[in-house]
Amino acid sequence: MKFAVIVFPGSNCDIDMYHAIKDELKEEVEYVWHDAENLDQFDGILLPGGFSYGDYLRSGSIARFSKVMNEVVKAAEAGKPVLGVCNGFQILLESGLLPGAMLRNQGLKFICRPVELEVVNNETMFTKAYQPNERITVPVAHGEGNYFCDEKTLQQLETNGQIVFRYAGENPNGSLSDIAGITNERGNVLGMMPHPERAVDELLGSADGLKLFQSIVKHWRDSHVVTA
Amino acid sequence: MMKVKVHVTLRESVLDPQGTAVKNSLHAMNYQEVQDVRIGKYLELLIEPSDRPVEDVVKEMCEKLLANTVIENYEFEVEEAVTQ
């Protein structure tokens, strides 16, 4: 399986993402610059964290209009897995691939520490390797992770099982309904504030994030690779 | 040339943690009369009129980029820019 790590000016978790795929997951991966015009050769798209375009105006609002985003939308429409982490999540919200918006953390502080998550839906292509309601530890690092949407949208998210991760301990940022990660209705676009790519080896304090990437690969193999 | 003044503010239904912090600070300074503080953004655009009405163009820009209507409201005024 071949992954693209999209790099915007100001991305800073792209190297972590690349490392997670190449060295821990042991799959193919390439950096793709924000002005790329074609993502056809990739099977999975990864939008890393950071501060694309300096977070000017609103987090993700400028990155959303970069050339490569047309291709990311196409990949999402084609059913390819698209994962946005932290700033990547913010870009997915701004682009409309995921519903809702991000507000400043309730406590106004930038928060950088491991948090406990509950895997609310383990039947997505991103979470099949987890147990139902499994508790995992993954770090967060953000100043704007306070997820918000209107009541109707929240109800839809709940009904369709689109809430994939919730903060299990203390909610670090005040997000609505303790939301840490959501998918689109089809289930192939996941946005999450915590960083699974920073939790792929016990040496880093947790390897709980690795199963997320393994789930993507397994899902892809099951549907694309025919074993004789 | 037209000057457009755009104000972007958080929607009423959205909690404004920055505004709340500023309100608490004003209260600590004994300005008890302050009931609420909302923080927003102010943008100034200089626009060369085209064949489309400026209002339409600015509205479109606000909807697409300048404001996120999930959490923000916007309003703007258009005036003749003073040329020097």
Side-chain angles (χ1 to χ4, degrees):
Chain A
M1 188 172 179
K2 192 171 184 181
F3 288 91
V5 174
I6 311 292
V7 184
F8 300 95
S11 295
N12 68 6
C13 300
D14 43 334
I15 296 172
D16 291 353
M17 196 67 100
Y18 187 94
H19 160 77
I21 303 300
K22 187 163 192 282
D23 303 320
E24 302 292 344
L25 197 63
K26 305 202 189 304
E27 294 291 331
E28 274 187 84
V29 57
E30 268 181 38
Y31 293 115
V32 176
W33 193 231
H34 63 97
D35 60 357
E37 290 176 3
N38 194 321
L39 295 175
D40 288 351
Q41 57 162 317
F42 298 101
D43 309 305
I45 314 296
L46 306 169
L47 301 174
F51 298 85
S52 58
Y53 299 90
D55 269 358
Y56 295 162
L57 196 64
R58 294 180 308 276
S59 311
S61 64
I62 309 221
R64 166 247 191 287
F65 287 102
S66 55
K67 223 183 252 178
V68 76
M69 282 311 292
N70 296 325
E71 301 307 306
V72 174
V73 171
K74 263 189 227 166
E77 283 169 356
K80 290 182 185 177
V82 176
L83 168 67
V85 171
C86 201
N87 189 225
F89 186 9
Q90 293 161 342
I91 296 168
L92 290 175
L93 291 171
E94 282 285 339
S95 72
L97 281 172
L98 293 174
M102 225 37 108
L103 296 166
R104 278 282 290 274
N105 291 348
Q106 206 155 48
L108 293 172
K109 280 187 182 151
F110 189 97
I111 301 160
C112 183
R113 61 176 158 86
V115 296
E116 205 185 351
L117 301 178
E118 180 188 345
V119 182
V120 180
N121 181 353
N122 77 327
E123 284 169 12
T124 75
M125 65 167 77
F126 301 95
T127 50
K128 275 185 187 154
Y130 294 104
Q131 298 300 312
N133 308 108
E134 186 174 337
R135 298 285 181 105
I136 61 173
T137 302
V138 179
V140 291
H142 60 250
E144 283 183 36
N146 182 352
Y147 179 81
F148 179 86
C149 64
D150 60 41
E151 247 171 72
K152 193 171 150 232
T153 308
L154 180 63
Q155 215 150 44
Q156 281 169 346
L157 291 176
E158 301 248 18
T159 315
N160 301 332
Q162 290 173 248
I163 301 172
V164 176
F165 296 109
R166 275 200 171 100
Y167 299 109
E170 182 205 354
N171 180 338
N173 52 36
S175 67
L176 193 68
S177 190
D178 297 329
I179 286 173
I182 57 167
T183 63
N184 60 347
E185 200 173 342
R186 186 170 173 184
N188 69 309
V189 178
L190 169 67
M192 60 191 294
M193 288 316 293
H195 290 266
E197 81 283 6
R198 293 192 195 175
V200 290
D201 192 308
E202 288 301 338
L203 199 63
L204 297 169
S206 165
D208 290 348
L210 194 56
K211 281 190 208 164
L212 188 148
F213 298 104
Q214 288 167 339
S215 301
I216 302 175
V217 173
K218 182 165 188 306
H219 176 85
W220 185 82
R221 293 250 150 82
D222 288 349
S223 48
H224 287 81
V225 181
V226 183
T227 43
Chain B
M1 201 77 91
M2 310 303 280
K3 184 189 264 187
V4 181
K5 299 175 169 178
V6 185
H7 288 272
V8 179
T9 48
L10 280 175
R11 279 172 174 252
E12 292 274 327
S13 57
V14 175
L15 217 78
D16 178 2
Q18 283 192 88
T20 308
V22 171
K23 182 183 81 178
N24 292 343
S25 182
L26 288 169
H27 282 178
M29 295 159 72
N30 258 330
Y31 294 109
Q32 298 304 333
E33 53 269 69
V34 178
Q35 297 303 302
D36 196 19
V37 178
R38 310 283 291 175
I39 296 184
K41 290 173 201 152
Y42 172 66
L43 301 93
E44 264 184 16
L45 314 176
L46 265 184
I47 294 187
E48 184 82 72
S50 64
D51 45 356
R52 295 180 59 198
V54 179
E55 282 78 6
D56 290 2
V57 178
V58 175
K59 185 166 187 291
E60 202 174 284
M61 291 191 288
C62 285
E63 299 274 342
K64 279 187 177 170
L65 176 65
L66 304 182
N68 181 337
T69 52
V70 177
I71 46 170
E72 292 169 328
N73 289 324
Y74 64 87
E75 48 191 55
F76 61 85
E77 18 183 310
V78 181
E79 59 187 51
E80 199 73 44
V82 183
T83 45
Q84 310 214 331

